[in-house]
Amino acid sequence: MLFSAHYDHLGSKNTEGDNIFNGADDDASGTTAIINIAQYYAKQANNARTLMFAAFSAEEIGGFGSQYFSKQLNPDAITAMINIEMIGKPSKFGTGALWMTGMERSNLGTQLNQALAKSGKKIHKDPYPKQKLFYRSDNATLAKLGVPAHSFSSSQLDKDQRLSPSK
C-alpha cells in the first residue's frame, strides 16, 4: 500500500531564494497527512502488509516526481495508492468528509466505505467529473501501470477562488 502527496506542485525552477513552490493546501495538507499516517502505523507496529510513503515534486507540470518514483519499483508489488491532495479545507460534503477521484475505476472506494460504515463516515465520489481530476494528479502515473491509484481531497473547486478550474 502506498500513501502519497506532493510537496511541490511546480517543481524547483525558481532560481532565486526558496526554490520550492510550496502551498498550504496544495499540498502541505496532504504531505502532513501522510506524515501523520506514517506515525500512526509506526506506533501500531502490526501492519498486515508493507506500507510505503512518498512525497513527490513537480505534480502540476507533468508529475515528474511520481514518474521517477514509478520507475524505481515493480507496480505489481503495490496493492493500492492513496494520494492525498488538498485536504486543508472542509468539503462540500461537510467537515472531515473526503471525495475520491476515479471511484468507478477500482473497488477501493467500496472497500473503504465498507470499513467506514460503522463510524458513519463515507468516501464520496468526485463531485467535479468535468475537471478530469483523476488524470491530473500523481495517482495517474501509477494508475497507468495498473495500480488501483486514486486521489482523495476535500477541496471545493467551485468555491475556492485561489483554484482555477484547470487545477
Side-chain angles (χ1 to χ4, degrees):
M1 175 65 103
L2 170 63
F3 293 91
S4 67
H6 65 275
Y7 63 89
D8 175 359
H9 68 259
L10 295 175
S12 55
K13 292 188 176 193
N14 185 6
T15 59
E16 294 182 23
D18 180 359
N19 69 351
I20 296 174
F21 291 88
N22 315 328
D25 195 24
D26 190 3
D27 190 30
S29 62
T31 304
T32 301
I34 65 167
I35 291 168
N36 283 309
I37 293 167
Q39 290 171 333
Y40 171 81
Y41 282 113
K43 285 180 185 175
Q44 300 302 308
N46 64 354
N47 304 326
R49 61 177 45 124
T50 300
L51 302 178
M52 294 189 303
F53 298 87
F56 302 123
S57 179
E59 177 255 2
E60 201 152 312
I61 60 169
F64 295 112
S66 57
Q67 286 181 38
Y68 178 82
F69 175 83
S70 70
K71 293 174 185 169
Q72 309 309 309
L73 51 87
N74 175 1
D76 295 333
I78 301 175
T79 305
M81 175 190 195
I82 292 178
N83 184 58
I84 303 176
E85 169 88 35
M86 297 171 50
I87 60 166
K89 298 177 183 178
S91 83
K92 68 185 326 171
F93 303 107
T95 301
L98 294 174
W99 49 265
M100 171 182 160
T101 64
M103 191 174 275
E104 69 286 353
R105 297 178 163 274
S106 78
N107 67 352
L108 182 60
T110 301
Q111 289 180 347
L112 290 171
N113 281 331
Q114 288 171 348
L116 291 169
K118 290 181 184 177
S119 72
K121 299 282 185 183
K122 177 182 177 181
I123 303 294
H124 298 272
K125 186 176 180 179
D126 177 2
Y128 308 103
K130 290 181 182 177
Q131 300 299 327
K132 299 183 185 201
L133 298 172
F134 180 83
Y135 302 101
R136 297 173 54 200
S137 195
D138 292 307
N139 65 289
T141 300
L142 271 17
K144 288 176 187 171
L145 299 175
V147 175
H150 303 272
S151 288
F152 293 76
S153 183
S154 66
S155 182
Q156 293 189 55
L157 295 182
D158 52 344
K159 298 215 170 155
D160 192 336
Q161 299 207 359
R162 185 196 66 80
L163 299 174
S164 68
S166 66
K167 169 64 181 134

